[in-house]
Amino acid sequence: MPHARLQIVVTQTEVDAPADPEVVGTPLAVGKRWLRIGSHGLDDVDLQLAANTGSEPRPLAKGASGGELSRVMLALEVALAGTSPVPTFVFDEVDAGVGGKAAVEIGRRLAALARSAQVLVVTHLPQVAAFADRHVVVAKSSDGTVTTSGLTVLGADDRVRELSRMLAGMEESDTALAHARELLEVAQNDRA
């Protein structure tokens, strides 16, 4: 989203002076104005996105696609991570609706966030998974009556094979194996 603009609009709602200012829940006097107090205070904060050049900013809930919303939220979390550290972030398919170059950039941003916090990411994109410090596969199996799932932490060779499978959708493709190694090399070079 190289041409995106995010703006934050802060407004307050003026109301008429109450008949009895001592009643609990009445508006707050600020100077000569009376302001409505909501459940989150006096200010209404609206994040607005103009995703493309020439477009007007619109509220995120109305103007952002799922992929755009995911990327905006990730950007905000990365930007704010140093101001009020959260020990653990969990992203469930933050990369929904993206691929290719955008997926690589999301992987980079998640890796940057992981320098100051624990980051857990559920992804189906190899471009994102390649940037992980530790790659875990969730496997589900069934014997016909009971379904179970388990976790496997991948070693280096298994990680190459898993990224290859994610890329090509087939086992043991030489081209996909080479691409998986290239993705891991790019991610490793970013860490250096």
Side-chain angles (χ1 to χ4, degrees), residues 97-172:
V98 301
K101 184 178 181 180
V104 170
E105 290 305 315
I106 288 172
R108 282 190 173 114
R109 300 300 190 290
L110 289 165
L113 184 58
R115 290 185 192 111
S116 61
Q118 180 181 31
V119 177
L120 304 174
V121 179
V122 176
T123 185
H124 297 283
L125 292 180
Q127 296 92 335
V128 173
F131 284 87
D133 292 328
R134 182 167 293 129
H135 190 149
V136 178
V137 172
V138 179
K140 186 164 52 169
S141 62
S142 175
D143 65 5
T145 57
V146 176
T147 300
T148 60
S149 39
L151 301 174
T152 303
V153 178
L154 301 180
D157 290 340
D158 289 334
R159 189 168 185 201
V160 171
R161 281 191 291 282
E162 177 61 14
L163 289 175
S164 168
R165 186 199 61 75
M166 293 169 77
L167 284 161
M170 57 185 140
E171 305 295 325
E172 304 301 321

Side-chain angles (χ1 to χ4, degrees), residues 173-192:
S173 160
D174 290 337
T175 304
L177 286 166
H179 190 186
R181 287 184 191 98
E182 181 182 21
L183 274 174
L184 288 168
E185 185 178 314
V186 167
Q188 184 63 38
N189 289 339
D190 270 19
R191 285 189 192 101

Side-chain angles (χ1 to χ4, degrees), residues 12 34 70 75 95 109 111 130 139 157 186:
Q12 297 171 333
W34 287 92
S70 294
D95 50 18
R109 300 300 190 290
D157 290 340
V186 167

